[in-house]
Amino acid sequence: WNEGETGEKRVRVPLHDDALAEGHEKVTVPLPNAVGANLGARDTASIMIIDNDGGGDEGCVPDEETLCLEDGRFALRGTWTDFQGRHGAFRSVPSTDGSGMFWFFNENDVEVLVRVIDGCALNQHRWVFFAATTNVAYRLEVTDLRTGAMRTYSNPLGTRAPATTDVSAFGCTP
């Protein structure tokens, strides 16, 4: 970012697409020496590269910012921005294989509850249900690591977050 710039930035990461099954790979980029910005505990950014050549059987890799559901098939990550312009990553709190939680500001205060439900027998889709107890801006990404499909849910700053029941989030595939 140049002086005075704020918000998200996109970074291009060139990849060599081949037919080798290598598994998913995580790249961590350090963000050292931030000047004029408060990154808090987050001084790195992570990128998950999804293998589309058949090597993705290991599924999601959980960490403090990644919630893994349904035997690692789904990876969930998010970011938030508050009224002072501060921003950060959702922090994951695993719960069960089908649901989990995230916190933003204090690990003792859960901000988001998320469930991924296998509704294939009912409507040929996997569902995403979640509720957030906040009015800060957020963006939640749910990625199906088997297919590469991703759903994004967001809330604008100052708006009470709605409960979401997306019963057509992901089509059923093996």
Side-chain angles (χ1 to χ4, degrees):
W1 291 260
N2 293 317
E3 186 175 338
E5 287 184 319
T6 62
E8 294 182 13
K9 291 281 189 170
R10 294 194 184 268
V11 177
R12 289 188 182 268
V13 179
L15 301 175
H16 175 71
D17 193 14
D18 56 29
L20 297 175
E22 301 161 296
H24 306 320
E25 298 174 86
K26 181 178 177 181
V27 177
T28 302
V29 179
L31 304 170
N33 305 320
V35 176
N38 180 7
L39 299 179
R42 184 174 182 175
D43 60 356
T44 61
S46 297
I47 302 166
M48 181 67 81
I49 301 170
I50 307 301
D51 180 20
N52 64 354
D53 299 312
D57 294 339
E58 69 275 0
C60 181
V61 178
D63 60 32
E64 66 182 18
E65 297 176 4
T66 306
L67 186 62
C68 300
L69 300 179
E70 295 294 319
D71 292 324
R73 178 173 180 156
F74 293 93
L76 292 78
R77 295 175 58 89
T79 57
W80 56 267
T81 302
D82 70 10
F83 290 91
Q84 288 77 39
R86 297 175 299 191
H87 58 278
F90 284 19
R91 300 296 184 178
S92 65
V93 181
S95 181
T96 68
D97 188 48
S99 67
M101 299 172 284
F102 290 104
W103 61 272
F104 305 163
F105 308 109
N106 180 324
E107 65 186 311
N108 295 316
D109 295 325
V110 171
E111 306 282 348
V112 179
L113 167 66
V114 185
R115 292 183 63 200
V116 174
I117 302 165
D118 184 345
C120 295
L122 296 174
N123 74 344
Q124 300 302 307
H125 286 85
R126 287 186 166 79
W127 309 345
V128 175
F129 285 16
F130 73 93
T133 57
T134 188
N135 64 348
V136 302
Y138 66 78
R139 176 182 168 97
L140 171 66
E141 294 179 350
V142 182
T143 305
D144 182 341
L145 297 178
R146 287 197 193 150
T147 66
M150 181 173 54
R151 298 290 294 196
T152 302
Y153 307 93
S154 61
N155 190 63
L157 185 64
T159 303
R160 182 180 60 219
T164 298
T165 55
D166 186 351
V167 296
S168 62
F170 299 96
C172 291
T173 58

